[in-house]
Amino acid sequence: MVDVAMSGPRGPKPKKAFSTRNIMLYGTLILVSVYYLLPLYVMIVTSLKGMPEIRLGNVFSPPLEITTAAWTKAWSEACTGINCDGLSRGFWNSVQILIPSVVLSIAVASVNGYALSHWKFKGSELFFTILIIGAFIPYQTMLYPIVILLREIGLMGDLGGLVLVHTVFGMPILTLLFRNYFTSIPEELFKAARVDGARFWGIYFRIMLPMALPIFVVAMILQVTGIWNDFLFGVIYTKPDTYPMTVQLNNIVNSVQGVKEYNVNMAATLLTGLVPLVIYFASGKLFVRGIAAGAVKG
Amino acid sequence: MSNHSVEIRNLDLSFGAVEVLKDLNLDIHEGEFLVLLGSSGCGKSTLLNCIAGLLDVTDGQIFIKGKNVTWAEPSDRGIGMVFQSYALYPQMTVEGNLSFGLKNARLPKDEIEKRVARAAEILQIGPLLKRKPGALSGGQRQRVAIGRALVRDVDVFLFDEPLSNLDAKLRADLRVELKRLHEQLQNTMIYVTHDQVEAMTLADRIAIMKGGQVMQLDSPANIYNKPRNRYVAGFIGSPAMNFIEGELSGGVFKADGFEASLAGYDWASETPADGPVTLGLRPEHILTEDQVDNGTVTTEVLADLVEPMGADTLVWSSLAGHPFRFRMDGQATVKGGDTVRIGIDMTRASVFDVTSELRL
């Protein structure tokens, strides 16, 4: 009896490295990764080649002679229309659009969400519903009314106008995001702060903001990628001088005159995609840490 | 105005069509420990929130220290509040939590330090001052929450089920501490709970609430011994009071096969007219074994089920066709199927009207 007990299975069950489960799991993961990474690889390789090498047609082969000429050209020499200063102009335009839009939309939406979750007023639920419906209306239907609106307030073609448009269109989803997050903060915490003499702004800045770091990171990622990648509003509400980077990229890649410079196109595309990429890498860790920190009970 | 610390006049509160508090009046004396007791949904927490100013009342007035505070901000009412979930600010240290209210009131720095130090000393949380709430145990957190009310130097403390999140042993410890704190500070305290042990042990007076109204406001002893109506009688006491339906005729209670004279019973008013009544008997007031003959009446019941609990034994049986429980000594040798002789002291019983359910 004792011997049987001693000789039976004991401790963790041994696992085989090449079990069917592992092969399926890692096989699928590798396959999917290759599927997504291959185009990126082609882009990087092509952007580092010269035109004669590209014409040979070996898309997947690494560059024989590495040159950054295409990158330089894409950044500062490529022509769109009469301007021949590459993507750099668009980059700075985009930065000028991005920073105020992100800051303004997050600032307003977080206060919105805070008020809608903890300072309910008569009709606040209706107000919130109307705001959310805004998220489901296709942008296309609102393009022309906004043109008129911007014209009337004198912001048509101005970067300020585009900032306003981005702020307004970010409002439904961001308000929803912040409202849901603030609702999850216990009501009693808010009551305790009121007994302690804090008012609307005191509670917002001293109690709610410090607890809301994770949701601010989420909102920032959403807004930075959304606004940076925006093409529709950019092409409509600005003029060539103030085109954001995405619009300029399109103008470079889709220009019909002369030779198709694939290396310049690839470099320009990579340059444009760099900002959201950096944001993901930089905030990813903060994002995860923020979520974990938010889980601590009060 | 008077020596009333908190006065509530004709208070109504409705959420839409739901009436939570109905024409509620309550006077709380200076330095009194008042417990609001009731099952969930009876409006006790709502009432506390109204006193704190966290809910706008639909109608009526609230006075604190003779001042009408019905429209005042919570922070201007001279109250401190302790919540069930502690509600400590997670990103602040214990010290930050304690001083938050004082900083909002723009008190001078040395005054804040003095008050925090005093609260920390009273509650013995001095070594925890630099820690964040996340690094504290449940009992320590609740102590900090009490400290947060303490530093504000208020007239009235409000407790919203402060011990309900703690485990049984800690709850008992902190209960004693709260009682000691009240004796030391002599502040008015209003304490909401659904735990009758907390209510009985802590309170100077208990207000039993049901359906947004106060059923009875009295000392714990009176609530236990002379419940004003059948609801209060059934709510207070564990195991709950036995109720036997019967007739009152000529000062004698008669039910199916059971008769007992109510001579010596302390009637609420003059001796009531004959008619149907409900007799209430507490399981712990039933006399057994050598005590049997101390009762005003004796009878025999069949033990149906026996629950030994160590200190005492609970016997389930039936009397006059109604379920009947009584308590015996823990050492009693009784088992299911035994016939047990019991004595009942009718002067300790409660008699209720069948329709109005009020104590007779």
Side-chain angles (χ1 to χ4, degrees):
Chain A
M1 189 70 185
V2 172
D3 285 336
V4 173
M6 294 295 284
S7 63
R10 183 184 171 145
K13 194 174 168 184
K15 291 184 184 72
K16 270 190 290 181
F18 288 96
S19 62
T20 323
R21 183 179 164 277
N22 280 359
I23 291 169
M24 290 290 284
L25 181 68
Y26 289 103
T28 312
L29 288 177
I30 289 166
L31 208 69
V32 172
S33 308
V34 167
Y35 181 78
Y36 274 95
L37 287 175
L38 207 60
L40 183 67
Y41 165 78
V42 171
M43 284 183 75
I44 294 170
V45 195
T46 310
S47 72
L48 293 172
K49 288 173 184 172
M51 276 314 283
E53 208 186 316
I54 291 171
R55 287 198 196 92
L56 292 175
N58 301 324
V59 178
F60 294 105
S61 63
L64 298 169
E65 204 180 330
I66 294 180
T67 164
T68 55
W71 287 76
T72 326
K73 187 168 182 192
W75 178 249
S76 55
E77 290 157 25
C79 292
T80 55
I82 50 163
N83 299 323
C84 280
D85 43 12
L87 277 173
S88 57
R89 174 199 295 269
F91 175 82
W92 292 114
N93 283 340
S94 277
V95 169
Q96 280 178 55
I97 296 162
L98 182 76
I99 292 173
S101 304
V102 170
V103 171
L104 203 64
S105 60
I106 291 181
V108 176
S110 63
V111 176
N112 264 357
Y114 161 63
L116 286 170
S117 58
H118 286 293
W119 295 88
K120 294 227 167 75
F121 49 92
K122 210 175 163 93
S124 61
E125 292 299 304
L126 179 73
F127 173 79
F128 180 62
T129 313
I130 292 171
L131 195 65
I132 295 307
I133 289 172
F136 297 104
I137 298 175
Y139 289 170
Q140 289 80 344
T141 62
M142 288 188 270
L143 290 179
Y144 189 58
I146 290 173
V147 169
I148 295 169
L149 190 86
L150 290 179
R151 188 191 67 202
E152 292 304 312
I153 57 176
L155 285 175
M156 186 63 202
D158 194 276
L159 287 183
L162 192 54
V163 167
L164 181 70
V165 171
H166 280 306
T167 305
V168 169
F169 278 90
M171 222 30 65
I173 192 72
L174 288 186
T175 302
L176 175 72
L177 200 71
F178 279 105
R179 178 191 170 270
N180 288 355
Y181 187 83
F182 285 129
T183 305
S184 73
I185 291 179
E187 176 95 42
E188 293 194 333
L189 209 58
F190 168 78
K191 287 181 176 175
R194 280 192 68 197
V195 171
D196 268 341
R199 302 287 165 86
F200 187 91
W201 293 109
I203 296 174
Y204 175 73
F205 284 112
R206 308 278 302 280
I207 310 292
M208 297 295 170
L209 270 197
M211 292 181 74
L213 182 70
I215 206 67
F216 272 90
V217 174
V218 172
M220 197 191 73
I221 291 175
L222 272 180
Q223 283 302 80
V224 168
T225 51
I227 293 170
W228 190 268
N229 289 337
D230 162 70
F231 180 82
L232 185 66
F233 293 145
V235 77
I236 292 170
Y237 301 122
T238 54
K239 48 192 182 219
D241 265 357
T242 51
Y243 275 159
M245 202 174 187
T246 44
V247 178
Q248 252 188 339
L249 170 69
N250 171 68
N251 292 353
I252 290 172
V253 174
N254 285 344
S255 67
V256 282
Q257 308 150 317
V259 202
K260 274 252 185 241
E261 292 179 292
Y262 289 106
N263 50 357
V264 176
N265 291 352
M266 298 293 178
T269 310
L270 284 171
L271 278 171
T272 310
L274 222 51
V275 168
L277 216 59
V278 167
I279 290 287
Y280 279 128
F281 281 124
S283 59
K285 215 168 200 169
L286 185 72
F287 182 59
V288 175
R289 206 189 305 154
I291 291 279
V296 175
K297 280 194 295 177
Chain B
M1 202 166 145
S2 62
N3 68 337
H4 287 149
S5 177
V6 179
E7 285 170 85
I8 292 152
R9 294 269 163 272
N10 311 93
L11 192 72
D12 281 321
L13 186 114
S14 331
F15 295 119
V18 188
E19 276 196 312
V20 185
L21 301 175
K22 287 166 222 149
D23 194 26
L24 192 135
N25 286 288
L26 199 61
D27 285 333
I28 299 154
H29 304 310
E30 187 77 57
E32 185 175 33
F33 200 121
L34 182 97
V35 172
L36 298 174
L37 180 66
S39 49
S40 55
C42 71
K44 56 192 191 299
S45 280
T46 309
L47 175 60
L48 199 72
N49 277 307
C50 286
I51 298 172
L54 295 166
L55 280 175
D56 279 336
V57 303
T58 311
D59 199 5
Q61 295 176 310
I62 297 165
F63 294 87
I64 294 177
K65 284 247 164 184
K67 207 175 92 197
N68 188 337
V69 295
T70 314
W71 291 348
E73 278 292 312
S75 51
D76 302 333
R77 294 187 176 210
I79 51 134
M81 193 156 174
V82 179
F83 298 90
Q84 180 180 352
S85 65
Y86 325 123
L88 298 179
Y89 315 124
Q91 73 281 4
M92 297 183 198
T93 61
V94 168
E95 196 173 10
N97 268 282
L98 292 178
S99 57
F100 182 66
L102 304 178
K103 282 181 191 153
N104 283 328
R106 302 191 191 284
L107 254 62
K109 222 174 173 174
D110 50 331
E111 174 69 17
I112 294 180
E113 272 172 29
K114 223 166 68 192
R115 290 207 200 172
V116 168
R118 176 173 162 266
E121 197 200 310
I122 293 174
L123 297 162
Q124 295 159 6
I125 49 174
L128 311 175
L129 283 180
K130 299 290 172 211
R131 288 207 218 158
K132 295 243 171 111
L136 303 179
S137 70
Q140 290 170 330
R141 283 181 202 182
Q142 197 51 285
R143 226 171 272 175
V144 175
I146 294 169
R148 201 167 51 178
L150 204 63
V151 288
R152 300 188 61 236
D153 228 355
V154 290
D155 306 315
V156 182
F157 280 80
L158 306 176
F159 295 93
D160 193 356
E161 309 209 13
L163 307 182
S164 300
N165 273 11
L166 302 172
D167 62 60
K169 186 181 160 356
L170 215 53
R171 203 180 305 164
D173 291 349
L174 226 66
R175 199 173 68 209
V176 175
E177 266 182 59
L178 268 178
K179 187 152 191 161
R180 209 164 274 151
L181 190 70
H182 179 241
E183 266 160 29
Q184 188 181 346
L185 299 172
Q186 293 295 322
N187 284 60
T188 308
M189 297 192 175
I190 306 176
Y191 188 105
V192 163
T193 185
H194 59 260
D195 183 320
Q196 47 171 302
V197 179
E198 271 172 37
M200 296 296 277
T201 51
L202 287 171
D204 293 325
R205 282 196 303 165
I206 299 175
I208 306 243
M209 291 186 63
K210 186 200 177 194
Q213 284 171 318
V214 175
M215 294 274 112
Q216 185 169 6
L217 172 64
D218 218 329
S219 68
N222 276 349
I223 284 200
Y224 177 79
N225 291 318
K226 291 185 175 171
R228 191 198 281 163
N229 59 34
R230 197 178 149 164
Y231 177 79
V232 174
F235 190 79
I236 287 286
S238 174
M241 188 182 264
N242 299 298
F243 292 109
I244 297 158
E245 310 283 340
E247 292 278 331
L248 187 69
S249 85
V252 177
F253 175 83
K254 287 180 185 162
D256 182 24
F258 175 71
E259 261 189 47
S261 163
L262 281 159
Y265 179 82
D266 186 15
W267 296 104
S269 52
E270 70 274 23
T271 315
D274 294 353
V277 291
T278 306
L279 179 74
L281 295 169
R282 291 213 179 272
E284 56 272 30
H285 288 170
I286 304 302
L287 305 162
T288 54
E289 300 184 306
D290 51 347
Q291 298 284 313
V292 167
D293 296 320
N294 293 343
T296 55
V297 62
T298 58
T299 184
E300 280 186 344
V301 291
L302 187 72
D304 182 28
L305 194 79
V306 176
E307 289 183 298
M309 311 224 242
D312 42 39
T313 300
L314 191 63
V315 182
W316 294 67
S317 68
S318 68
L319 182 66
H322 292 86
F324 187 75
R325 279 160 299 179
F326 59 94
R327 192 174 275 183
M328 293 180 76
D329 189 79
Q331 308 307 316
T333 50
V334 62
K335 55 185 189 300
D338 288 356
T339 301
V340 187
R341 213 163 83 84
I342 56 169
I344 302 168
D345 182 358
M346 293 300 276
T347 59
R348 299 182 79 180
S350 299
V351 182
F352 303 101
D353 189 276
V354 168
T355 44
S356 69
E357 301 204 332
L358 288 175
R359 183 185 181 86
L360 294 172

